[in-house]
């Protein structure tokens, strides 16, 4: 059984195999990755070996068809994996992008040849994937991107800069959004799969960005200076990149929501345990009325969040998740995460402000959830447009 949490709630889509997967994932994160957390946070990126080990255990590409090396499952399996990763507190492996996003783009839009070339490596952990949309000049207004891909015979020559790219420090494959026709807005954008292992000529990784949280995961700037990319490595037709991204963004937003709900669940569990143990004025914190009220509210918010998320997952699995509902999930769940983690941290008092306590890291890690994947302001714009 995936960890049911304080409330014992079980999602409608859950089947026995999800329970086995959750156990396997939990054991991997807890026993094989978490013991290295401090070192991974110091180095600022995950170990390649941990990707390979996840692949060996069958934890990568869970929704990728078996013929391309994947698990043959669907999004519910990816959701269980990401839920367990967040619940155990493992934050170095960029699985939300690698498995939650990259394999989805390739499986959906790749040609058979492209799938055979890249998916098995992504599923075995030999390859790590990233997606590069955001530019230094702006992330919200994707249509205004400036990175250019100019046709040169059978290739494109790519020039430009991307920033805030998750897995950017270690990635071998980058799905890059670039303008193939700068005279056009959305219709001028194409997606190119760039093979960047070993940093080929025309490609450079900038520094790993020094973030307030998520210290074990690499977020990098990427620079392109006439990087040669075969036209055969374009995903979909020229000029369809923006529309392909719009089609995939609901899943990306759901992935963020999965992390948000798992973090809320973890925060409540950690805080209940602490409040039972710590005493003030001669009784455990949980015996004080305010603590009880705060925890009751956080547990209720978490349960409601799980039920909404699970409904979105069920809709997505049926191919029925619309843009506005995904935006509701992303914005409301991440706001819930930040609120619940903040209120829980308060119950830890001064210890909540020290990084020795997981709640402090959770506080720092949570903040970005309202920013990436489309800011929550943009989510509200999308919701409002559908009203
Ligand atoms: C840790 C981390 C990981 C990331 N990973 C990736 C990744 O893997 N790939 C990738 O491509 N990007 C990634 N991003 C980038 C992220 O998606 C962008 O930061 C985000 O989309 C916002 O873009 P921006 O930072 O340029 O802000 P801007 O677009 O400059 O926005 C600044 C502010 O203005 C607000 N704003 C903008 N337009 C409007 C509007 N129309 N109405 C109201 N308010 C508006 C925004 O909500 C925001 O508050 C990551 C970012 C971080 C911090």
């Amino acid at each position: 059984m995936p960890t049911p949490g304080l409330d014992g709630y079980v999602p409608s889509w859950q089947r026995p195999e999800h329970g086995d997967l959750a156990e396997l994932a939990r054991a991997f994160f807890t026993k094989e990755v978490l013991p290295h957390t401090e070192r991974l946070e110091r180095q600022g990126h995950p170990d390649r070996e941990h990707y390979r080990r996840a692949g060996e255990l069958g934890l990568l590409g869970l929704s990728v068809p078996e013929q391309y090396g994947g698990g043959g499952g669907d999004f519910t399996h990816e959701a269980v994996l990401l839920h367990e990763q967040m619940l155990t507190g493992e934050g170095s492996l960029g699985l939300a992008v690698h498995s939650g996003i990259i394999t989805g783009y390739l499986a959906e839009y790749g040609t058979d040849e492209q799938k055979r070339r890249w998916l098995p490596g992504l599923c075995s952990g030999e390859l790590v994937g990233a997606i590069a949309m955001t530019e230094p000049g702006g992330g919200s207004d994707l249509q205004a991107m400036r990175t250019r891909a100019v046709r040169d015979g059978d290739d494109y020559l790519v020039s430009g800069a991307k920033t805030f790219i998750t897995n950017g420090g270690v990635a071998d494959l980058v799905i890059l959004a670039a303008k193939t026709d700068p005279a056009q807005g959305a219709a001028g954008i194409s997606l190119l799969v760039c093979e960047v292992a070993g940093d080929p000529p025309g490609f450079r990784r900038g520094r790993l960005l020094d973030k307030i949280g998520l210290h074990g995961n690499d977020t990098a700037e990427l620079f392109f200076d006439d990087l040669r990319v075969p036209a055969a490595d374009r995903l979909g037709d020229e000029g369809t990149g923006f529309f392909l991204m719009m089609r995939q963004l609901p899943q990306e937003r759901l992935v963020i929501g999965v992390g948000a709900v798992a973090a809320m669940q973890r925060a409540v569990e950690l805080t209940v345990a602490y409040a039972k143990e710590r005493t003030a004025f001669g009784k455990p914190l949980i015996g004080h009325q305010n603590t009880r009220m705060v925890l009751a509210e956080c547990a209720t918010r978490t349960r409601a969040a799980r039920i909404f998320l699970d409904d979105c997952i069920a809709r997505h699995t049926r191919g029925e998740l619309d843009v506005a509902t995904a935006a509701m999930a992303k914005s409301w769940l991440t706001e819930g995460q930040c609120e619940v983690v903040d209120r829980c941290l308060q119950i830890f008092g001064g210890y909540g402000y020290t990084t020795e306590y997981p709640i402090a890291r959770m506080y720092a890690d949570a903040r970005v959830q309202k920013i990436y994947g489309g800011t929550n302001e943009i989510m509200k714009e999308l919701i409002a447009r559908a009203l």
Side-chain angles (χ1 to χ4, degrees), residues 110-124:
T111 61
D112 189 53
E113 193 276 323
Q114 290 174 332
K115 291 181 200 179
R116 282 182 199 289
R117 186 139 57 100
W118 294 314
L119 283 173
L122 290 165
C123 295
S124 69

Side-chain angles (χ1 to χ4, degrees), residues 185-209:
I189 296 173
S190 302
L191 295 182
L192 305 179
V193 183
C194 306
E195 295 183 328
V196 295
D199 295 5
F203 174 78
R204 186 167 64 81
R205 296 171 211 259
R207 64 203 162 94
L208 294 183
L209 299 174

Side-chain angles (χ1 to χ4, degrees), residues 341-361:
V341 171
D342 180 54
R343 298 186 76 192
C344 285
L345 184 149
Q346 185 72 13
I347 293 175
F348 281 77
Y351 295 104
Y353 199 66
T354 67
T355 51
E356 268 170 60
Y357 280 75
I359 195 75
R361 286 161 192 247

Side-chain angles (χ1 to χ4, degrees), residues 246-266:
M246 292 305 115
R247 261 174 48 198
Q248 286 304 107
L249 277 168
Q251 172 156 325
E252 181 173 345
R253 289 167 186 157
L254 211 45
V255 161
I256 293 170
V258 170
V261 170
M264 288 161 84
Q265 188 179 323
R266 180 165 186 245

